[in-house]
Amino acid sequence: MRSEIQNAGTIVVKVGTSTLTYENGKLNLKRMEQIARILTDVKNSGKKVVLVTSGAIGVGMSKMGLKEKPKEVKAVQAVSAVGQCELMSIYDRMFSEYNTIVGQILMTKDVITNLERKENAINTFSALLENDILPVVNENDSVSVDEIKFGDNDTLSAIVAKLIDADALIILSDIDGLYDQDPRLCETAKIIPEVNEITEEIKSMACGAGSKRGTGGMITKLTAAEIATDEGIQVVIANGKDPHIIYRILEGKEIGTIFKGKKA
Ligand code: GLU
């Protein structure tokens, strides 16, 4: 199962807020720099790469000096408008250090439920990738309300992977992979290296929320894995604290948890 990922031609990498920011909410520039260099290098090796990034709300909160996420929808939308701008400006600068042009795509759920908009989105992704541009995707949080929300970027990354017909989806988070028990509560918890099928038993191993700054937890990651593997996409969930892990995952090393893509 691991060796198949070495042949992946189109890869989506999702990075969560907990990977991109410090506990205090400020951006972890070292990691962002590494992500820009590594993804450029992977792209240079001949693969198509898409980055799905979180962080708009976290970065916006930090920039506006907010300790807690606001409760009101419009206030969160405002925070994300500030944060997305900062986030993208930093990615743009960091990727351009390595001569990579990035293009921002902000998505809402209606982009995929409306066939015409979906087609347009697919065309934009393919035009960017054909032109050797690295798409950087986030949810369009500043206009998202419940009806048109994905709600978390794990799900969004799986939808993007499906949309562009990717071969692999790598979800980087602050946890090493899927454990058989909650590793925060149970010292003997063991990582599950490979999942052939996402059964009810596997789902029961996923425990709720992740960090305070991000949105998803293992449950949203499993939902993402289910969406993507149903389309034949291999999914790896791994710890993003050292982004070099991306190389090792693509070399087929036993890292994190790999979910086998189902073949039609
Ligand atoms: N779109 C959100 C943001 O950029 C993140 C959602 C998530 O963490 O899954 O802040």
Side-chain angles (χ1 to χ4, degrees), residues 14-18 53-59 69 80 84 87 138-141 151-156 213-217 220-221:
K14 184 258 169 176
V15 208
T17 305
S18 57
T53 183
S54 301
I57 296 170
V59 172
K69 189 164 156 179
S80 72
Q84 180 64 28
L87 190 64
N138 195 358
E139 175 146 28
N140 198 351
D141 296 308
D152 69 90
N153 276 12
D154 296 320
T155 310
L156 174 63
R213 287 159 292 130
T215 303
T220 56
K221 290 180 180 52

Side-chain angles (χ1 to χ4, degrees), residues 238-257:
N239 199 320
K241 65 175 184 252
D242 177 4
H244 290 90
I245 204 169
I246 296 170
Y247 285 128
R248 299 198 290 279
I249 292 169
L250 294 174
E251 283 160 7
K253 301 262 161 61
E254 193 176 303
I255 309 265
T257 303

Side-chain angles (χ1 to χ4, degrees), residues 219-239:
I219 293 172
T220 56
K221 290 180 180 52
L222 278 192
T223 307
E226 214 166 13
I227 296 170
T229 53
D230 273 351
E231 298 298 312
I233 302 164
Q234 304 252 76
V235 178
V236 176
I237 297 175
N239 199 320

Side-chain angles (χ1 to χ4, degrees), residues 190-203:
K190 279 196 221 49
I191 198 154
I192 303 173
E194 292 188 3
V195 174
N196 277 305
E197 207 188 330
I198 304 169
T199 57
E200 287 308 314
E201 193 194 347
I202 291 287
K203 285 186 193 163

Side-chain angles (χ1 to χ4, degrees), residues 11-169:
I11 298 153
V12 175
V13 177
K14 184 258 169 176
V15 208
T17 305
S18 57
T19 302
L20 292 171
T21 58
Y22 291 103
E23 277 288 323
N24 63 11
K26 296 219 178 351
L27 279 170
N28 187 326
L29 296 174
K30 182 178 163 201
R31 278 195 197 142
M32 287 185 79
E33 231 155 40
Q34 290 172 337
I35 289 165
R37 190 171 57 77
I38 294 164
L39 293 189
T40 297
D41 199 28
V42 172
K43 186 171 77 62
N44 288 353
S45 77
K47 297 181 191 292
K48 293 191 161 98
V49 181
V50 173
L51 172 63
V52 174
T53 183
S54 301
I57 296 170
V59 172
M61 280 167 55
S62 153
K63 198 163 184 183
M64 292 166 71
L66 306 174
K67 294 254 170 319
E68 300 282 327
K69 189 164 156 179
K71 303 259 172 315
E72 236 189 330
V73 175
K74 67 177 184 191
V76 179
Q77 289 175 322
V79 168
S80 72
V82 171
Q84 180 64 28
C85 190
E86 167 94 344
L87 190 64
M88 209 53 215
S89 129
I90 292 175
Y91 274 129
D92 192 32
R93 261 180 285 151
M94 287 186 171
F95 274 98
S96 60
E97 279 288 306
Y98 304 102
N99 276 333
T100 292
I101 304 176
V102 292
Q104 171 182 259
I105 301 195
L106 298 177
M107 309 251 301
T108 44
K109 207 174 190 171
D110 50 337
V111 172
I112 53 154
T113 47
N114 176 313
L115 285 187
E116 200 181 321
R117 299 194 67 194
K118 183 175 168 187
E119 201 56 44
N120 285 335
I122 294 174
N123 292 343
T124 309
F125 273 110
S126 71
L128 288 170
L129 293 169
E130 272 162 27
N131 284 291
D132 207 27
I133 295 166
L134 194 144
V136 179
V137 187
N138 195 358
E139 175 146 28
N140 198 351
D141 296 308
S142 57
V143 296
S144 277
V145 285
D146 278 346
E147 303 78 65
I148 54 165
K149 224 179 182 166
F150 294 103
D152 69 90
N153 276 12
D154 296 320
T155 310
L156 174 63
S157 68
I159 305 263
V160 168
K162 184 173 164 181
L163 211 57
I164 63 165
D165 207 10
D167 304 299
L169 166 63

